[in-house]
Amino acid sequence: MADLYDLGERPPLGVVPERMHAFAVRQDRFGPPRDAWKREILPTPTIKSDEVLVYVMASGINFNNVWAALGEPVDVIAARQRQGEVEDFHVGGSDCSGIVWAVGDKVQEVTVGDEVVVHSGWWDPDDPWVLSGKDPMLSESTKIWGYQTNYGSYGQFARAQAHQCLPKPNGRTWEEAGCFLLCASTAYRMLCGWAPNVVEPGDVVLVWGAAGGLGSFALEITRACGGRAVAVVSDEAKREFCLEHGAVGVINRREFDHWGPLPDTDDAEGYGAWAKGAREFGKAIWTVLGEKTNPRIVFEHPGEATLPTSGFACETGGMVVICAGTTGYNVTMDLRYHWMRQKRLQGSHLSNDEQAAAVVELVSEGKVDPCLSQTYPFDDIPECHQSMLENQHPYGNMAVLVNATKPGGGV
Ligand code: NAP
């Protein structure tokens, strides 16, 4: 048996070579993703009794591994070393389609040969919170697979916990199946996980960054639930994409200029200008809808630049649900609207097993599209992250082929 196989060259099912091709970052090259991600030959990971090794066919590209390359706000390698892991590299990749190649002796969920997708919720199976049966995403041990854990899907073999594996959706290519789950499961939890503020038929949902990875799934999932998504973008060229993926209308944020932190409420002029901008934005939502209805859910992730407007625009008793602070974490909002109108500001992060399974099912049934924009070869992993950092990446979700040798396979 060879100890290293080329990409796409399959060892016999179940046979695990000692080494593999993988893209990794190291601390001495933290910085622009273009230079931080390098192809290396690394040891194939070993697995514990509750883990599986997946022969990766395709992977998705996510913003978290832009952060990993930059080494900020968290040095993921140092963070793991503090917890006792010895590796001085990070093999990223938080989305994956592939074939189960080896299983630990306690694994019951999957068997060798199963075609799977991998969701990125990782937690300590012995965590008392997890053992108690509560939502594991609220446990202290939760990590994002392929970001906070090593050996994600940018290697020929990925290491995952068995519960992360779900059947590959019906009729989808490796790249379609491998590109969507991190963003789709996050969007699903945000829109369907926080009862009673879940999308119901007719509900208006305001979606920031609607042509982005998360936003495109917010549009798709809102439509699948019978809601009405109003998309926000910065470029007219994104309008058609949003309408195709489920938006009932589109607002171009470039037509407004009141973004950023809320001015001091004692600054009458500054506050007045902000309030005018926020009201105009609210009216733009009504114009798109053709009726004076405010969003019952605001799907947030830009954070600092947009949260004051999100809080203002949200319907009485509605929810602003947020999973990131892409434009900054130091947020402001006018609390008077928040308490008087009894709105909810809900943080949300990734998803649990059930939520990931629910959105995979929606994809399997054809109710949610994987929003694959473009498929790239393995060696484009650095450039894909660079374009994401520069907000120059194609709309929706990018996929990279790992062991799949050409697009279109796996159906
Ligand atoms: P993406 O594909 O790059 O999309 C982000 C979108 O944000 C862009 O399309 C852009 O759209 C919009 N945007 C950029 N600057 C903006 C601004 N100043 N105001 C309003 N909108 C702005 O990224 P993504 O995959 O959707 O991820 C978005 C964020 O969520 C990232 O920070 C990512 O790390 C985070 N995330 C968190 C989780 C979690 O579980 N916590 C999961 C997935 C992603 P326009 O320029 O067209 O407006």
Side-chain angles (χ1 to χ4, degrees):
M1 184 195 89
D3 79 333
L4 177 70
Y5 287 78
D6 277 341
L7 287 172
E9 195 189 357
R10 277 195 204 184
L13 186 64
V15 170
V16 179
E18 279 172 33
R19 300 181 300 153
M20 63 173 185
H21 295 272
F23 267 91
V25 291
R26 291 179 182 267
Q27 286 161 313
D28 60 5
R29 52 178 196 252
F30 277 157
R34 178 176 290 140
D35 306 316
W37 286 106
K38 292 238 183 294
R39 183 166 166 175
E40 301 191 23
I41 292 172
L42 293 169
T44 308
T46 54
I47 52 172
K48 294 192 200 139
S49 57
D50 63 329
E51 291 178 329
V52 302
L53 200 63
V54 179
Y55 180 74
V56 181
M57 298 304 285
S59 172
I61 301 285
N62 290 293
F63 220 102
N64 58 5
N65 275 298
V66 172
W67 302 123
L70 295 170
E72 61 183 43
V74 176
D75 172 343
V76 290
I77 298 168
R80 286 203 287 268
Q81 287 174 338
R82 281 196 295 276
Q83 291 172 4
E85 292 189 28
V86 295
E87 289 92 350
D88 56 358
F89 55 82
H90 164 67
V91 177
S94 301
D95 258 321
C96 172
S97 62
I99 302 166
V100 175
W101 217 255
V103 296
D105 56 15
K106 289 194 188 141
V107 169
Q108 294 184 339
E109 296 90 333
V110 285
T111 53
V112 170
D114 285 357
E115 294 187 354
V116 294
V117 290
V118 180
H119 84 75
S120 44
W122 186 103
W123 41 80
D124 177 355
D126 297 324
D127 182 323
W129 178 275
V130 175
L131 289 173
S132 77
K134 294 178 184 149
D135 182 355
M137 276 310 295
L138 301 181
S139 78
E140 287 299 319
S141 64
T142 292
K143 292 180 179 168
I144 304 303
W145 177 74
Y147 172 62
Q148 292 167 294
T149 72
N150 210 344
Y151 299 113
S153 52
Y154 298 161
Q156 282 179 293
F157 291 91
R159 183 177 72 192
Q161 294 176 324
H163 71 84
Q164 293 175 246
C165 296
L166 295 161
K168 176 174 166 283
N170 298 333
R172 294 296 178 177
T173 62
W174 291 116
E175 58 275 18
E176 285 172 326
C179 78
F180 76 94
L181 192 46
L182 181 137
C183 280
S185 60
T186 302
Y188 186 87
R189 181 176 175 95
M190 289 171 77
L191 294 171
C192 303
W194 301 105
N197 299 85
V198 294
V199 187
E200 286 170 7
D203 279 352
V204 176
V205 178
L206 182 71
V207 179
W208 295 103
L214 277 175
S216 50
F217 287 115
L219 302 180
E220 288 276 342
I221 293 166
T222 298
R223 175 169 63 183
C225 295
R228 293 178 289 164
V230 175
V232 186
V233 294
S234 62
D235 186 343
E236 283 304 312
K238 297 179 176 177
R239 180 176 290 271
E240 200 182 323
F241 174 92
C242 293
L243 295 172
E244 276 169 11
H245 286 277
V248 295
V250 183
I251 298 175
N252 188 339
R253 66 181 167 91
R254 298 275 179 224
E255 289 167 12
F256 304 85
D257 61 3
H258 64 291
W259 308 119
L262 193 70
D264 195 315
T265 45
D266 292 334
D267 168 7
E269 197 181 327
Y271 189 86
W274 176 83
K276 185 166 178 285
R279 273 197 302 275
E280 291 298 323
F281 184 79
K283 279 189 204 153
I285 299 174
W286 297 347
T287 304
V288 156
L289 293 168
E291 64 185 49
K292 289 187 176 178
T293 303
N294 297 319
R296 195 168 160 257
I297 297 181
V298 180
F299 186 92
E300 251 284 356
H301 49 90
E304 195 167 309
T306 51
L307 194 73
T309 304
S310 294
F312 175 83
C314 183
E315 176 62 312
T316 299
M319 172 177 74
V320 177
V321 59
I322 186 158
C323 72
T326 319
T327 64
Y329 314 118
N330 195 4
V331 296
T332 49
M333 70 192 302
D334 190 332
L335 281 179
R336 291 170 297 183
Y337 296 107
H338 196 65
W339 87 69
M340 288 301 290
R341 297 189 177 274
Q342 303 182 74
K343 303 179 187 187
R344 175 174 179 182
L345 176 59
Q346 178 67 54
S348 194
H349 191 43
L350 207 70
S351 80
N352 56 35
D353 289 344
E354 290 75 21
Q355 290 160 339
V359 83
V360 169
E361 187 60 26
L362 288 174
V363 172
S364 254
E365 292 170 353
K367 292 181 181 161
V368 164
D369 185 80
C371 300
L372 172 63
S373 55
Q374 217 162 311
T375 303
Y376 298 85
F378 190 58
D379 286 320
D380 281 1
I381 282 177
E383 230 21 79
C384 288
H385 289 90
Q386 187 70 33
S387 67
M388 192 167 228
L389 175 64
E390 294 167 7
N391 199 10
Q392 299 297 323
H393 53 307
Y395 316 153
N397 289 274
M398 297 180 273
V400 285
L401 300 179
V402 181
N403 283 304
T405 47
K406 55 180 190 309
V411 179

